[in-house]
Amino acid sequence: MKSPIIKVRDLKAGYGETVILEEITFDIHPGEILVVVGGSGCGKSTLLRHLVGLQPPLSGSISYWGRDITRMEEDELGRLLHRVGLSFQGGALFNSMTVGENVALPLEEYGIGDREQRRILARMKLNLVGLGDQGRRYPEELSGGMKKRVGFARAIAADPEVVFFDEPSAGLDPVIGAGLDQVILELRRLMDLTMVVVTHELYSIRTVADRILMLDGGKIIFIGTLEEAESSDHPRVRQFFLRQPDRGIGNRE
Amino acid sequence: MTNSVRLESGGSVIVPIRKPLTDELGRTLLRDVGEMISRGNREIRIDLAGLEELDSPGCAWLIRAVRAGKAAGAEVKLVGAAGRPAELLELMRPNFEPLPPPSPRPGFLERMGDRGLTVWEEFRQALGLVVDALYWSFIAPLEGKGVRWKGLLDEIQAMGSSAIGIVCLINFLLGLVIAMLSAAQLRLFGMEILVASGVVIGFARELAAVMTGIVVSARTGAAVTAELATMKVSEEIDALKGMGLSVSRFLVAPKILAILVSMPILTILGFLSGVAGGFALGIFSLGFTFERWWWQTHQAVSMGDISQGLVKSVFFALIIVLVGCHNGLRVRGGASEVGKATTRAVVMDIFLIIVADMVFATIFYYTT
């Protein structure tokens, strides 16, 4: 097995006194799709924010290709993030630009290709998410699901090596959600993309996951393949995959 | 760079690609294809059989070659691709149906008409808001539909108490400036004592209300617009409406009541500060005694002057909150629109305050 792209060691995260994540240690290997799951408020989004350096951890280390990003200068981290794509939950599109310009922005900023080349690349990526003909519209003219797909196209615009997806298929209609799962799989197969996907959708997990990382109460309670997850005897993991509700939502523990 | 070019019968050419399709190779390919077309080849086949790897910029170069051919009336075909490159090409290949052309620029009359309609539409919205807001502020409470007291007190704190410092300071400084300007002129006649009258009348009728109005519109007007605009953008306004609740009742009415309490008080404080500015000059620089200056001030001003200022301040207060709410609630889009709405609100506030002031000046001028 090739050496991991991302190594997270003993990560502890939170705000001031509040600890949200603790004892987080795991690797992400090249070409794999790691799905991060867990109940609401378990720290999934916080983990994602730390993995891309948006927030410094309280302690521990996160290294990409052997370099620790928690100790990096801002511009060095910036250059490293050129090789990383990030797709936000709501799309996070720039409202003052057209959809096409949004997708072409990373290409332009990273100095990739000439104008025509960027236009075609943006168009190709939009086509991947089924929005090839929407390039001239503005984000406010799109539906929530469409924005999310444009955000996805922008995340993969510059052919990153690692892509983080925050809830790629939540809120999409099932057909488009499944289509997006297929695109994720195709991209991995054809371009060796490494992906970290945060999701709740069981169907999506079954389709794309190579490995599953499950968080609960700020700790990793499970990491392994889907088969291992389904045969796990950890009560929370069983509950999640068998979709057993708690007795009264919110009455946990 | 595109290796050997083999001529086939019927003017068709085959261009084999055997190396990874880098940007350099892509540029050469595009140039070669252009040259071949200009030499009269009508069919060019780009042979991808030797290509082992392909990335998306590579795909983009191939697509450009095909499009360049099409534009020049020749046919460029991608042939022989196999394995991952073929699949990637299939996945990435955009359907380049021409985008619909941008709609033509409307003519002069049409634009004027559009503009007129926009203004009319905005006027109607504003009128609706004014009626609704005034109902919820003044009539509904009398009918026993509750005012949200908690919200009201918070608003008074934000709009009134915390503005006291800046309002007093600005009016004091302005009082000082006016006193200095008029003292320089009145000295020519040896009547510096009239500075006291000038300052007190100026502030009572005019300056306290207008200056306070401008300070409050920059503080509160901008804040109201930004708050409502952000709520609009983040769908909080829609959430309120969706719950069947009145935006005017929950958001606008408390602000109106709060500013109607705050503005007159701020104006009175502003008036006192401005007069204090005059006192400062008169006593410390012009050398009058406190009693002399006080007598002159007291004698010059009447309740009528002061109530003119207060009446104005009430109208300015309504202008500030209603303009702020109107601009905030009509925002559509994202963050940049919030900024634009805020700018627009403050400009509109100051403009309307001056216009209203002029209207009052005219009325008072012809009636007294």
Side-chain angles (χ1 to χ4, degrees), chain A residues 95-96 112-121 123-125 127-128 132-136 140-141 156-159 182-183 186-192, chain B residues 23 27 53-61 63-64 67 83-85 87-88 91-102 332-337:
Chain A
N95 274 309
S96 52
I112 297 172
D114 55 15
R115 228 180 128 78
E116 178 67 9
Q117 184 83 352
R118 291 197 290 265
R119 208 175 67 82
I120 292 182
L121 282 169
R123 187 71 186 268
M124 280 164 39
K125 300 297 155 87
N127 241 44
L128 269 183
D133 52 351
Q134 305 288 326
R136 286 206 185 136
E140 65 181 67
E141 303 171 75
I156 55 171
D159 290 332
Q182 287 310 315
V183 171
E186 291 282 275
L187 285 176
R188 195 268 301 265
R189 194 165 65 85
L190 298 173
M191 306 177 72
D192 297 321
Chain B
D23 279 358
R27 258 189 293 279
E53 285 298 328
L54 189 63
D55 55 4
S56 34
C59 281
W61 284 114
I63 289 160
R64 281 174 83 167
R67 281 164 58 80
R84 301 216 310 179
E87 289 182 64
L88 189 71
L91 187 69
M92 292 282 182
R93 181 193 294 249
N95 56 342
F96 265 99
E97 295 306 314
L99 290 171
R332 286 181 60 224
S336 60
E337 298 303 315

Side-chain angles (χ1 to χ4, degrees), chain B residues 154-322:
Chain B
D154 289 346
E155 293 287 357
I156 292 178
Q157 157 79 24
M159 293 178 176
S161 336
S162 52
I164 289 175
I166 186 73
V167 164
C168 289
L169 181 64
I170 283 188
N171 278 292
F172 178 83
L173 294 178
L174 191 70
L176 211 54
V177 169
I178 301 281
M180 285 193 263
L181 284 176
S182 44
Q185 301 304 312
L186 290 166
R187 186 172 297 134
L188 302 175
F189 306 96
M191 298 173 86
E192 284 116 315
I193 189 63
L194 288 184
V195 170
S197 323
V199 168
V200 77
I201 291 175
F203 269 88
R205 287 193 180 181
E206 186 69 38
L207 292 171
V210 172
M211 276 324 285
T212 309
I214 287 173
V215 172
V216 171
S217 66
R219 273 184 97 254
T220 306
V224 166
T225 311
E227 181 187 338
L228 291 194
T230 311
M231 288 180 79
K232 181 79 189 284
V233 170
S234 58
E235 296 183 328
E236 286 177 52
I237 301 284
D238 291 340
L240 267 180
K241 286 185 184 162
M243 285 186 255
L245 301 175
S246 158
V247 174
S248 299
R249 176 182 177 192
F250 276 85
L251 300 173
V252 184
K255 292 187 199 305
I256 288 187
L257 294 175
I259 202 151
L260 285 178
V261 174
S262 312
M263 257 305 259
I265 297 179
L266 286 176
T267 303
I268 289 174
L269 291 174
F271 164 68
L272 294 177
S273 311
V275 172
F279 263 82
L281 190 89
I283 291 164
F284 296 113
S285 171
L286 302 179
F288 290 98
T289 62
F290 181 83
E291 288 74 20
R292 176 78 186 91
W293 199 267
W294 169 254
W295 184 83
Q296 184 68 26
T297 300
H298 182 73
Q299 194 246 0
V301 75
S302 71
M303 266 329 275
D305 296 325
I306 295 177
S307 44
Q308 267 189 34
L310 286 181
V311 169
K312 282 188 202 174
S313 81
V314 168
F315 278 85
F316 294 170
L318 286 175
I319 288 175
I320 291 168
V321 163
L322 288 171

Side-chain angles (χ1 to χ4, degrees), chain A residues 33 35 177-185 188 201-210 212 226:
Chain A
I33 300 179
V35 173
L180 219 47
D181 288 343
Q182 287 310 315
V183 171
I184 289 178
L185 287 174
R188 195 268 301 265
E201 310 274 317
L202 265 183
Y203 184 83
S204 188
I205 297 170
R206 288 184 203 283
T207 316
V208 302
D210 292 324
I212 294 165
L226 180 65

Side-chain angles (χ1 to χ4, degrees), chain A residues 37-44 200 214-219 221 234-237 239-240 244-253:
Chain A
V37 299
S40 307
C42 68
K44 296 191 299 285
H200 283 300
M214 188 160 180
L215 291 171
D216 190 55
K219 292 186 181 168
I221 57 166
H234 191 293
R236 279 261 166 257
V237 181
Q239 214 180 9
F240 188 90
Q244 294 164 336
D246 279 310
R247 212 168 298 146
I249 296 175
N251 286 345
R252 294 165 61 164
E253 273 130 77

